[in-house]
Amino acid sequence: MIKEALYWELKGERIHCFLCPNHCHIKEGHIGACGVREVQRDVESSHLKLVTINYGEITSFAIDPIEKKPLYMFKPGNVILSIGSFGCNFKCSFCQNYSISQYKADSTYISPNELIDILKKTDSEIKNNIGIAFTYNEPSIWFEYVYDCAQMIKDKLPDKKIVLVSNGYITKEPLIELLPFIDAMNIDLKGDDIFYKQLCNGGLGHVLETVKLAHNFGVHIEITTLLINGENTDNETVQLLGDFLHNLDKKIPLHISRYFPNYKLDNPPTTLDEMKNAYNYLIKKLDNVFVGNVSEYEREYITKVD
Ligand code: SF4
């Protein structure tokens, strides 16, 4: 569904969108870097306006264990209704969900009211569903829908938890508006600033700000870092990420996940020794480091501290 967007201003013949740090300046008929915010001319006023084209458009829908988000220290043992749309403000060459993040995938419209009904129905069938997760593609560029749903859920079903799985690339103003409705977030911390610029078309600084803001606001946060062979497994990057979290709060759980080739990136899989080297540093800095995308045998090898 197309709906007028929030967080934009008219700048001459273009519209400046400031929902995320990309700060796109978009011409009439064009779309922002996220692929979901388009400049159109209002039929009645003939003024330019920014619209969102993925409001309520659902591409992915599942009931997942909360641990799959991954959130290991927030309501463990429960499940959560998980939905996603299409679009992303990053262009990660290694994206695991590129079919919905980088393309306008087929979708079905579900209004916020219908989503509440689905949540209620799910409750009658599944006892340990704790709420809803906005996940699979980037929820911050789905802002209008996520905000409307979150507000409505907290009003009508106050016991339900709201979770975001995000790249953290959002400007301060919308983030502060959304945080009061959010219970938990998993935020990616992908690498140093060069990594963000070269592999994602993004930047590290704003992501660190999001992590700090969400944590200081009292939202439960966990962090995920996909360790990619030869890209972010060097000691400097691992130390940068580990030290940032250590200084913020060493109890914040960190998930390090093993990379395998995907989408446009064909580096060989991250070696077990690269994983082990990172784990060895991080576990000395942080209380909770989890290793993902490995077998039990591999996990044992990686987590055996030297
Ligand atoms: S939300 Fe989309 S249109 Fe707006 S600044 Fe970010 S990438 Fe550009």
Side-chain angles (χ1 to χ4, degrees), residues 169-306:
Y169 206 58
I170 180 170
T171 49
K172 198 170 170 182
E173 198 185 335
L175 178 63
I176 287 174
E177 199 173 348
L178 190 57
L179 283 179
F181 304 102
I182 305 304
D183 297 286
M185 291 174 81
N186 186 294
I187 305 171
D188 276 352
L189 253 187
K190 295 173 190 281
D192 63 10
D193 197 50
I194 295 171
F195 178 100
Y196 271 96
K197 289 198 162 68
Q198 292 183 343
L199 276 77
C200 307
N201 278 15
L204 172 64
H206 292 280
V207 180
L208 298 182
E209 281 308 308
T210 296
V211 173
K212 274 195 259 181
L213 258 170
H215 178 67
N216 294 340
F217 201 86
V219 173
H220 173 91
I221 59 167
E222 302 195 16
I223 303 295
T224 298
T225 302
L226 180 70
L227 286 173
I228 303 179
N229 187 334
E231 303 290 353
N232 60 1
T233 49
D234 56 285
N235 290 341
E236 291 73 24
T237 304
V238 170
Q239 285 170 20
L240 174 80
L241 303 181
D243 292 358
F244 166 76
L245 292 174
H246 172 88
N247 292 332
L248 183 61
D249 181 350
K250 70 191 188 77
K251 292 192 176 63
I252 294 173
L254 171 66
H255 303 259
I256 53 171
S257 188
R258 188 183 183 200
Y259 153 89
F260 289 89
N262 204 8
Y263 190 33
K264 295 178 179 169
L265 197 68
D266 59 1
N267 293 21
T270 303
T271 66
L272 296 185
D273 284 329
E274 284 175 302
M275 296 292 294
K276 188 177 178 65
N277 180 53
Y279 183 85
N280 260 282
Y281 181 80
L282 294 165
I283 198 62
K284 289 175 190 128
K285 288 279 173 178
L286 304 171
D287 290 350
N288 303 293
V289 182
F290 302 103
V291 182
N293 238 2
V294 294
S295 67
E296 268 316 305
Y297 167 77
E298 290 166 339
R299 184 174 290 109
E300 253 179 55
Y301 173 76
I302 291 163
T303 57
K304 194 161 175 282
V305 179
D306 295 335

Side-chain angles (χ1 to χ4, degrees), residues 17-24 26 32-34 37 89 141:
C17 173
F18 50 93
L19 174 60
C20 94
N22 281 336
H23 287 282
C24 297
I26 314 165
C34 54
R37 294 165 87 78
N89 48 358
I141 53 112

